[in-house]
Amino acid sequence: MANVGLRIIKTIHRPPKAVIEAFKGLPVAAIADNMNRMSCIHARLRPMNEVPLLGTAFTIKSRPGDNLLLHKALDLAEPGDILVVDAQGDLSNSIMGELMVRWAKKRGIAGFVIDGAIRDVRALKNLGIPIYAAGVTPAGPYKDGPGEINVPVSCGGAVIHPGDILVGDEDGLVVIKPQDALELLKKTKAKNLAEQKSMEEIEGMSWDRTWVDKALAARGCEIIE
């Protein structure tokens, strides 16, 4: 019998590991620029440490302040998965702390993206697993449900499906649909080469700045001496 709002979908389709790993080390900003700046997770979800994030979305939709379904996800997710939790941005109760992250690391889980609050931040900074969250509070969670696992979720203003590729660094997070990955890789690598050329031009004081005046002229900017 269907039980919308309290259900677990075990099987998800993950992209090939080689495709995911190809994004390793690529700047999130460069990836986002090639997605028309429309696939970034909101800046209010900030990194809790300096570990870069890369993996496949394993999604959880939870009631605000409740982590029962997140606990179940810890046992279901596969190595390389990123646990993405839609806790509706609520900061009243933390839904994750040190013990859960230590268990996740032992199981090979590749990181967390939590649109909600966490705690035990000092410990989480040193566990070597990437964590992004909307806030921090010492108030602990409830464990009553309801919630869902591996359904589309809204996290930081972005819709994330199970199996999407997530990339994160100090700037933030970007969501990649697997069907777009190969074309996006090509464009991002080309952009990186172009930016390296610009850096060389800056060093040599030869960076072309004529586009600025052209853009202003096209918009009818008045320049007063």
Side-chain angles (χ1 to χ4, degrees):
M1 183 175 69
N3 191 5
V4 177
L6 183 56
R7 59 185 175 183
I8 296 169
I9 299 170
K10 289 186 174 181
T11 302
I12 68 173
H13 300 288
R14 297 171 176 85
K17 186 175 180 180
V19 174
I20 299 169
E21 288 296 316
F23 285 93
K24 188 174 183 178
L26 293 179
V28 167
I31 299 170
D33 281 354
N34 285 291
M35 301 179 78
N36 289 295
R37 303 165 176 90
M38 291 293 289
S39 295
C40 297
I41 291 177
H42 195 277
R44 61 185 173 78
L45 271 70
R46 299 306 304 157
M48 296 292 123
N49 52 41
E50 297 181 358
V51 186
L53 179 144
L54 177 64
T56 304
F58 190 97
T59 64
I60 302 101
K61 186 175 181 62
S62 70
R63 180 173 66 87
D66 191 284
N67 72 357
L68 178 60
L69 273 294
L70 175 53
H71 270 285
K72 183 60 178 177
L74 287 174
D75 298 329
L76 290 177
E78 296 184 2
D81 284 343
I82 304 290
L83 297 192
V84 180
V85 185
D86 173 7
Q88 302 180 44
D90 183 78
L91 303 181
S92 301
N93 299 83
S94 62
I95 60 170
M96 187 186 74
E98 180 181 2
L99 295 179
M100 297 173 73
V101 175
R102 286 187 179 276
W103 179 243
K105 187 174 181 180
K106 286 291 187 180
R107 297 205 63 254
I109 290 169
F112 292 87
V113 177
I114 297 182
D115 199 347
I118 63 171
R119 64 180 180 179
D120 302 330
V121 172
R122 180 178 295 179
L124 301 188
K125 286 181 178 179
N126 300 310
L127 286 179
I129 183 169
I131 301 167
Y132 290 72
V136 177
T137 179
Y142 301 98
K143 293 175 170 59
D144 304 310
E148 297 181 304
I149 291 177
N150 284 327
V151 297
V153 297
S154 175
C155 192
V159 176
I160 302 174
H161 292 80
D164 285 350
I165 300 170
L166 299 177
V167 188
D169 60 19
E170 299 92 336
D171 286 338
L173 295 154
V174 68
V175 184
I176 301 166
K177 302 301 177 189
Q179 63 267 27
D180 298 328
L182 294 179
E183 181 66 20
L184 190 56
L185 273 170
K186 186 193 308 181
K187 290 181 178 180
T188 302
K189 289 178 178 179
K191 181 174 178 60
N192 271 355
L193 289 175
E195 290 194 350
Q196 289 172 14
K197 183 174 183 294
S198 293
M199 290 179 187
E200 293 171 1
E201 292 171 348
I202 290 170
E203 288 299 314
M205 292 296 292
S206 60
W207 196 23
D208 183 9
R209 308 296 296 153
T210 58
W211 70 268
V212 178
D213 286 337
K214 290 177 181 177
L216 290 170
R219 290 158 176 77
C221 178
E222 180 183 9
I223 298 176
I224 302 171
E225 298 290 348

